Amino acid sequence: MSSAPRESVSLMASHTSPNWSASTRAAALDAVLATRDGLEPILQRQRARFADIVAFARGHSPLYRDLYRDLPPGCADPARVPAVSKRALMPNFDAWVTDPLVNRRLVDDWLSRTDTIGDVLLGRYLVATTSGSTGHPAIILLDGPSRAVCNAERVRALRSMPWPALITSFVRERGRMAVIVATGGHYAAAAMIEYMKRVNPAAAGARIIAAGTPIAEMVDLLNREPPYALSGYASALELLAGEQQAGRLHVAPAVVMSTAETLSDTGRNAVATAFGCPVIDGYGATEAPAIALSCRYGRMHQNADWILLEPIDEAGNAVEPGVTSHSLLVTNFANRVQPIVRYDLGDRITVTPGGCPCGSPLPTIRVEGRTDDVLLFPRRDGMLVPVLPLPLGAEIEADPGVERFQAVQTGRAALDIRLQSAPGADEDRTWEGVCARASAHLERQGIAGVVIRRDSQPPQRAEGGKFRQVFRAPGLDPEQGAP
């Protein structure tokens, strides 16, 4: 078996230790050292860690042991390693995980409770569920190395900013941060924040604001307790930037961090102008939380020392830098309890050739991520109210009978929902639950009178493998009504 760099070995050896702060320090030190001498040390780590995770998965996961039965010992060539998908892995959860104490029944029981959000299963694993943006939600365990590496990569991104006191000030402010994310379930962002608040005094001031909170209420919450740092979905941040520019929001964060959705150049400029601070754009997935983070020039740098990205075409072949992929295979070198090796994430990216003015040797990428729409529905007085896509989607897919869905605004006060029920689910009961959840969510926004209809069409796959989950019908102008 190929040996990983010394720092990664010591980090992996601690994956059952409760002392996560020590693991984070080790990962942060390694992250800094990796970029000190150019690209080659990063690629050395990548090659060694790929061989290491393949060998580990083969030795500890029954699923991978069977999948890799024809691979030669010590295989370090990604092209020879079979790719995997969420659809193939999830039905074989018990054979996928490497800890014999973990099984699907235990995890499902954990996920059925809300008091376990942010706690760790068996004292080791943070449990998170993905969205259904590729059509098949997944359950992912984040072990100690996964969490440590995620934190370390964010520290490295902050170090790249031209304000060297930023991290020190953030710690002094005891993490006085407002995080706008979906709540009510074991979603990775909310679960990670709750976990950090429990184990790290520096994160004690972090405050979660449910992304489904009406925008006026969100503004009031932020004005009453202005955050030192502001993080959230791109769609929420762009709406808040508009509120700041209109004079209704009055906050002065030192940094803004965008997550989960694609932040366009226009959106980045609007947010940076409104708040007068640097904007960090993050790209990740529950399966690989810190894939890439932007630098002060707005370029997205791949954390290639801990993540291998393989952009592929429709036939599964590698694409050249500068060419937009059809999909993306990702390998997460950190996760040992649930190995993610050449996992089809379904995203479209472009590896951008050439260096970056920030000086980081980490490769840069462009990401075509979520492209859902902010919906606009009228409240009782006729004023249009923005409805963020991710919170609405979270409410719909919270019903256990939903395997995948699409919510399409088809008129000024009309929402059509396309459903694909999970195997064995009662379709009519699932629809009743979805309709009730969506209606209640809109009512919490002050919206009434929206007609929610069941669309007989199944959800339609968008180009690149993703589903647009929440969007307006083509040509629809909510100001005017139906197209």
Side-chain angles (χ1 to χ4, degrees):
M1 181 177 73
S2 177
S3 60
R6 184 181 302 273
E7 295 87 357
S8 70
V9 171
S10 64
L11 173 63
M12 293 309 171
S14 68
H15 83 285
T16 58
S17 167
N19 188 7
W20 304 131
S21 60
S23 296
T24 298
R25 287 196 297 271
L29 175 61
D30 182 69
V32 173
L33 293 175
T35 57
R36 188 173 56 181
D37 297 318
L39 181 60
E40 185 52 36
I42 297 168
L43 297 180
Q44 288 177 359
R45 284 166 165 80
Q46 188 181 86
R47 289 189 291 267
R49 286 170 178 162
F50 181 82
D52 194 49
I53 193 64
V54 168
F56 182 89
R58 186 181 211 168
H60 296 82
S61 164
L63 183 149
Y64 280 106
R65 186 179 302 122
D66 181 62
L67 188 65
Y68 295 165
R69 62 184 179 275
D70 295 329
L71 285 182
C75 180
D77 179 6
R80 300 186 65 178
V81 176
V84 294
S85 68
K86 187 185 303 182
R87 175 179 283 186
L89 292 176
M90 280 309 301
N92 299 291
F93 183 88
D94 290 359
W96 180 8
V97 295
T98 63
D99 187 335
L101 297 179
V102 174
N103 57 65
R104 181 63 185 268
R105 180 178 297 180
L106 175 71
V107 173
D108 283 345
D109 178 66
W110 185 267
L111 292 172
S112 70
R113 299 158 49 194
T114 57
D115 63 318
T116 57
I117 297 173
D119 204 350
V120 283
L121 178 69
L122 302 177
R124 300 177 183 181
Y125 311 120
L126 192 67
V127 185
T129 55
T130 72
S131 75
S133 59
T134 53
H136 301 276
I139 298 167
I140 301 296
L141 307 183
L142 301 174
D143 58 13
S146 297
R147 302 193 297 271
V149 167
C150 182
N151 291 332
E153 301 295 10
R154 288 187 170 92
V155 169
R156 178 163 66 187
L158 288 173
R159 281 175 56 91
S160 75
M161 293 293 166
W163 294 268
L166 192 60
I167 299 175
T168 302
S169 299
F170 185 69
V171 172
R172 186 177 63 246
E173 295 284 338
R174 292 179 61 78
R176 186 163 52 85
M177 178 180 191
V179 185
I180 302 165
V181 291
T183 58
H186 289 257
Y187 305 116
M192 182 69 84
I193 293 295
E194 292 293 352
Y195 168 78
M196 291 302 299
K197 290 175 68 174
R198 296 183 187 199
V199 302
N200 188 352
R207 178 167 49 114
I208 292 176
I209 298 176
T213 304
I215 190 66
E217 186 179 335
M218 199 180 291
V219 167
D220 183 57
L221 289 171
L222 292 170
N223 281 336
R224 280 193 274 130
E225 294 183 53
Y228 182 78
L230 177 62
S231 176
Y233 301 146
S235 56
L237 295 177
E238 291 184 46
L239 284 176
L240 289 173
E243 295 294 301
Q244 181 94 346
Q245 293 285 52
R248 291 182 288 270
L249 179 63
H250 310 281
V251 297
V255 63
V256 172
M257 290 168 275
S258 173
T259 62
E261 299 169 314
T262 301
L263 183 64
S264 65
D265 290 341
T266 301
R268 169 186 289 276
N269 291 336
V271 172
T273 299
F275 296 113
C277 67
V279 177
I280 297 176
D281 191 9
Y283 169 50
T286 307
E287 299 91 336
I291 294 176
L293 291 156
S294 66
C295 67
R296 62 182 180 271
Y297 291 94
R299 299 192 183 183
M300 194 74 77
H301 287 268
Q302 175 198 342
N303 292 314
D305 47 345
W306 280 106
I307 299 288
L308 172 66
L309 298 184
E310 299 177 74
I312 56 174
D313 61 20
E314 287 191 76
N317 301 314
V319 301
E320 297 295 323
V323 177
T324 301
S325 70
H326 172 75
S327 191
L328 176 67
L329 303 181
V330 61
T331 300
N332 179 354
F333 303 138
N335 194 330
R336 294 295 165 120
V337 67
Q338 198 173 4
I340 305 292
V341 184
R342 305 201 79 218
Y343 177 98
D344 194 335
L345 202 58
D347 288 344
R348 292 165 58 92
I349 74 164
T350 306
V351 176
T352 52
C356 179
C358 78
S360 171
L362 293 170
T364 57
I365 60 175
R366 288 195 307 271
V367 183
E368 292 185 21
R370 290 180 182 266
T371 56
D372 289 346
D373 294 333
V374 175
L375 307 185
L376 294 170
F377 289 112
R379 64 188 187 195
R380 291 178 180 85
D381 62 4
M383 292 290 292
L384 290 175
V385 176
V387 176
L388 298 179
L390 282 177
L392 175 60
E395 289 291 338
I396 294 172
E397 67 185 0
D399 190 291
V402 175
E403 178 163 329
R404 57 183 177 181
F405 78 94
Q406 284 177 315
V408 186
Q409 183 177 3
T410 54
R412 180 176 171 85
L415 180 68
D416 290 5
I417 298 179
R418 304 167 182 166
L419 286 181
Q420 178 175 318
S421 299
D426 184 309
E427 293 187 4
D428 291 335
R429 183 175 297 175
T430 296
W431 167 250
E432 291 172 3
V434 164
C435 189
R437 285 178 176 274
S439 179
H441 180 75
L442 295 177
E443 288 176 5
R444 287 194 294 271
Q445 312 300 308
I447 298 165
V450 173
V451 177
I452 301 177
R453 299 176 297 208
R454 184 176 181 177
D455 192 329
S456 60
Q457 293 186 76
Q460 305 295 314
R461 185 177 295 275
E463 183 183 0
K466 285 284 187 179
F467 290 96
R468 291 194 73 195
Q469 289 183 297
V470 180
F471 56 96
R472 293 188 296 272
L476 174 66
D477 181 355
E479 295 279 1
Q480 302 298 323

